[in-house]
Structure formats: C-alpha cells, structure tokens
Amino acid sequence: MGTTMIVELTAIVVLAVLLVVALLVLRRIRVLRRGGVDVALREARPQEDLRGWHSGLGRYRGDEFRWYRISGLSSGANVALDRTRLEIIDRRSPVAGEMHPAGSTVLTCRDRGRTWELAIGADALTGFSSWLESTPPGRSTGYRQAS
C-alpha cells in the first residue's frame, strides 16, 4: 500500500467523522431552537441504579408529551407519552449521585405498559401537571396521581 493511498484513506475517514459531528451539532441546534422543557428521562430502574439517564427536551403536542433526546441523529421524538393513558405512580427527590439540577423531581410514569422516569425541574413540573390535568370537557385523561 502506497503512502498516497494511506493519506487518501485517512482523509476519507477524517471527513466522515467530521460529517457525523457536523450532523450531530446541526441536529442539536435545530432541536434547541424549537424550544421545550429540559427533561432527563430513562426507562424505570431500581432507584439505586443510577445508569440510563438521557438529557432531552420535552414538548407538548395535543395529547402527547414528546421527548427528544439531545444527542443522536434521530429527528423524531424518542418517546411520546399519551396524556389520556399516562399515570404518575411515584414522585421522589433525586438520590445522591443522580446529576439532576437542584429542585428537580423524579416522576415515575406508566404509559401503554411501559414505565418511565422523568427528572424535571420545579417550573417544568408545574407545566407538566397542568397539561396532564387539562383536557376538553367530557374527556377523561386517565391521569392518576400517586398519593
């Protein structure tokens, strides 16, 4: 293999890596510009298991709370929670080692048989609770608050 071929292959690999990084940066900028609320999310795990949290943005769209992971190439919502089926089954403060902002609350929610944990700040929690509780007259939200 000649030196020229090695240089060409190296250039192709570097360009491919730069392209992927540029796509990630552009996606992040696009997601952030559209706004939303900061929410960390993971599939429910035992409380002492600190792994699995992903940062993202949540947006309200009709009866859905759509969560978009900040990192990654997907342009669509990674998780969509349906207000009409959503059930909050637990609420807790972050445990030591969870890197959520001060004043955050961790909600354990169930939707369509899957259980999720959402770490959400105080202001965003107020908006989330209001969104859950508000539906047009005559429609049931399915919303149940853990006592």
Side-chain angles (χ1 to χ4, degrees):
M1 206 185 249
T3 306
T4 306
M5 184 174 265
I6 292 173
V7 170
E8 288 174 358
L9 286 175
T10 303
I12 289 171
V13 169
V14 168
L15 285 174
V17 169
L18 288 174
L19 178 63
V20 169
V21 169
L23 288 173
L24 288 170
V25 169
L26 288 173
R27 180 189 181 279
R28 180 177 168 88
I29 289 169
R30 195 181 90 238
V31 167
L32 292 174
R33 279 190 171 174
R34 288 194 283 177
V37 294
D38 293 327
V39 178
L41 182 134
R42 72 175 182 172
E43 283 204 59
R45 295 176 179 220
Q47 189 171 333
E48 55 278 353
D49 185 353
L50 304 177
R51 298 172 300 146
W53 287 105
H54 299 285
S55 295
L57 290 173
R59 291 199 186 99
Y60 303 100
R61 178 105 188 220
D63 282 337
E64 286 187 333
F65 179 76
R66 295 180 180 178
W67 181 81
Y68 299 83
R69 188 173 172 175
I70 293 295
S71 60
L73 292 175
S74 173
S75 61
N78 298 88
V79 175
L81 302 175
D82 186 332
R83 162 170 58 186
T84 63
R85 290 184 271 239
L86 188 64
E87 177 183 10
I88 297 176
I89 56 176
D90 192 23
R91 170 187 301 244
R92 65 176 174 82
S93 297
V95 297
E98 287 181 325
M99 303 302 288
H100 307 305
S104 293
T105 299
V106 177
L107 301 175
T108 304
C109 302
R110 188 174 319 146
D111 179 30
R112 298 181 197 138
R114 293 184 78 180
T115 305
W116 302 96
E117 287 185 306
L118 287 79
I120 191 165
D123 292 343
L125 178 59
T126 301
F128 187 76
S129 297
S130 296
W131 172 77
L132 277 177
E133 294 169 357
S134 64
T135 58
R139 287 185 59 194
S140 170
T141 63
Y143 166 68
R144 283 172 251 142
Q145 176 68 44
S147 45

